Amino acid sequence: MKNLVELYCDVDDFCKVFIPQWQKQLLDDGTQKRRRDGRLTTSEVMTIVIGFHMSHYRDFKNYYLGYVSVVHKKAFPHLLSYTRFLAIMPRVIVPMCAYFTSLKGKPTGIEFIDSTSIKVCHSFRIPRHKTFDGIAQRGKGTMGWFYGFKLHLIVNYLGEIVAAKVTTANVHDTRPVAEMAKGLTDKLYGDKGYLSKALEADLFEEGVTLITTVRKNMKAKALFLWDRAMLSKRFIIETINDQLKNISFIEHSRHRSMNGFMLNLLAGLVAYCLKKDKPSLNLTDVERNSMVIA
C-alpha cells in the first residue's frame, strides 16, 4: 500500500498532464466565467479520497476528521471543513475516471470475466429508499435478490483490471461483454452465466474465444486440458471482487447522491489498481507456451 506522499506524487504527475488537456476540451456556453483555484487542488482531493479506500477506515467522516485532519494536517495546510470537502468531491469524478483508465492492465491472452452485485440498501428498505429511486433496479445474483447495480469486470491472470463497466442490477451478464471485450486477444473465461452461442460467435469474429462452464442439465463440453485448468482458476476474479468490497470498500448503503456512488466506486477501483500484491496466477513461460500449442 502506498503512503499518502507516494500516492500524491503519482496523482499529481497524472493531473499535471490530464487537467490542461481536459480543460481545453470543455464546452463553453459563451458566458465569461472565473476559474479560480480552490484551496485544495484536484490532486489533493483525489489523494484524500483514494487514501480512504487504502486505509482501514470504514466510514469517510472518521477517516477525514480523525486521520487526515489530525495526522496529515501539515501535508494539507489548506484543509477544508468536512462539509465543504463533501461538496467539492464530485468535481474530481472525471479526473478520477481518467486516472483509473491510465492504471488499467493490458490484455495478456488469458482473461477472466465476472460480475458482482453492488447493493445500495437492504432489501427491507427498498420501498422507502429515495437516493437511487428510478435509477437502481432489482436483480438476482448467486446470493439471491438485491437492489442496486452490477459491476462487470475483466481481469488478466496477473490480477490486473483490464475492463470495467457498471450497469443496473437487472441487466443480464452477457449484455456488456462485447463492448468490454474490445481489444482482447485469445481466451476469455467465464462462468455459466455467460453461456450464449450468439455472444460466443460475435466474440470469435473479434478474435476472442469465450470459454464457459456448463449448467448441470447440459452435456459436458469437449475442452482442452489447458482450458479446463483455467476454468478451475476462475477464483482469481472472485478473490478480486471480494477484495474490492471488503478492502477497497466499493459497496455501502450510505450514499446520498449518484455522484457520491460513482466517486466511491471509482476510488475503490483505483485503490485496488495501486495495490502492490494483487491476486495472480503464477504461470510459467512453459505453461503459457503450452496454451499456444493447444
Side-chain angles (χ1 to χ4, degrees):
M1 186 183 79
K2 294 176 179 291
N3 60 40
L4 281 184
V5 176
E6 293 175 331
L7 176 59
Y8 173 78
C9 291
D10 285 345
V11 174
D12 193 52
D13 288 342
F14 168 79
C15 287
K16 285 179 179 177
V17 176
F18 173 75
I19 297 297
Q21 296 299 321
W22 176 43
Q23 290 178 341
K24 288 180 182 179
Q25 297 179 23
L26 293 178
L27 295 177
D28 194 346
D29 61 2
T31 59
Q32 186 174 1
K33 297 180 180 178
R34 293 182 297 173
R35 287 187 177 177
R36 294 186 302 175
D37 294 331
R39 287 176 57 188
L40 283 179
T41 64
T42 300
S43 303
E44 290 175 318
V45 176
M46 289 176 62
T47 299
I48 293 172
V49 175
I50 298 169
F52 164 66
H53 293 271
M54 303 175 77
S55 71
H56 65 276
Y57 286 87
R58 285 297 171 263
D59 69 277
F60 188 78
K61 186 173 184 178
N62 283 331
Y63 165 77
Y64 189 82
L65 297 178
Y67 179 66
V68 177
S69 300
V70 176
V71 179
H72 293 286
K73 179 65 176 177
K74 292 183 179 179
F76 301 100
H78 304 296
L79 207 60
L80 305 173
S81 68
Y82 173 70
T83 305
R84 180 56 185 160
F85 188 85
L86 292 182
I88 68 169
M89 279 173 60
R91 299 179 184 177
V92 302
I93 290 179
V94 173
M96 189 74 76
C97 186
Y99 187 44
F100 168 61
T101 301
S102 73
L103 296 173
K104 288 193 299 186
K106 303 297 182 183
T108 60
I110 305 173
E111 270 70 51
F112 301 87
I113 187 168
D114 199 8
S115 67
T116 187
S117 61
I118 306 294
K119 306 179 186 69
V120 296
C121 75
H122 194 279
S123 298
F124 293 132
R125 295 181 56 244
I126 294 176
R128 62 178 186 272
H129 187 80
K130 302 300 181 184
T131 303
F132 297 99
D133 186 27
I135 304 174
Q137 299 291 335
R138 294 176 189 253
K140 190 175 184 180
T142 55
M143 302 301 292
W145 289 92
F146 67 96
Y147 180 72
F149 303 88
K150 281 184 181 179
L151 173 63
H152 305 262
L153 289 180
I154 294 179
V155 304
N156 58 29
Y157 76 92
L158 300 173
E160 300 169 333
I161 296 175
V162 176
K165 187 176 180 65
V166 179
T167 65
T168 52
N170 60 344
V171 172
H172 195 274
D173 287 349
T174 57
R175 281 186 57 185
V177 177
E179 179 185 351
M180 295 173 64
K182 290 180 180 178
L184 297 188
T185 59
D186 212 0
K187 305 290 181 69
L188 177 63
Y189 299 93
D191 61 18
K192 57 182 176 290
Y194 295 92
L195 278 169
S196 170
K197 290 184 178 180
L199 175 61
E200 189 175 339
D202 291 341
L203 291 180
F204 188 77
E205 290 182 359
E206 300 297 326
V208 180
T209 303
L210 176 64
I211 301 172
T212 65
T213 55
V214 295
R215 298 188 180 94
K216 292 181 180 179
N217 61 347
M218 297 175 64
K219 292 182 179 179
K221 287 184 177 180
L223 297 174
F224 291 111
L225 290 177
W226 172 268
D227 293 331
R228 289 188 181 277
M230 287 299 101
L231 282 175
S232 69
K233 301 291 186 182
R234 285 193 62 262
F235 63 82
I236 181 175
I237 192 168
E238 294 168 358
T239 302
I240 291 171
N241 283 332
D242 181 73
Q243 291 193 2
L244 285 171
K245 288 186 175 181
N246 297 308
I247 298 178
S248 296
F249 202 49
I250 64 170
E251 180 186 53
H252 68 76
S253 58
R254 301 184 302 276
H255 296 296
R256 295 296 175 263
S257 69
M258 191 65 191
N259 285 337
F261 167 79
M262 288 305 303
L263 184 58
N264 182 80
L265 181 61
L266 285 168
L269 292 172
V270 168
Y272 172 82
C273 291
L274 293 173
K275 281 185 61 176
K276 293 180 179 179
D277 299 319
K278 298 181 178 68
S280 63
L281 303 180
N282 296 319
L283 301 180
T284 63
D285 292 337
V286 175
E287 290 173 323
R288 293 197 63 195
N289 290 335
S290 68
M291 178 191 73
V292 177
I293 296 174

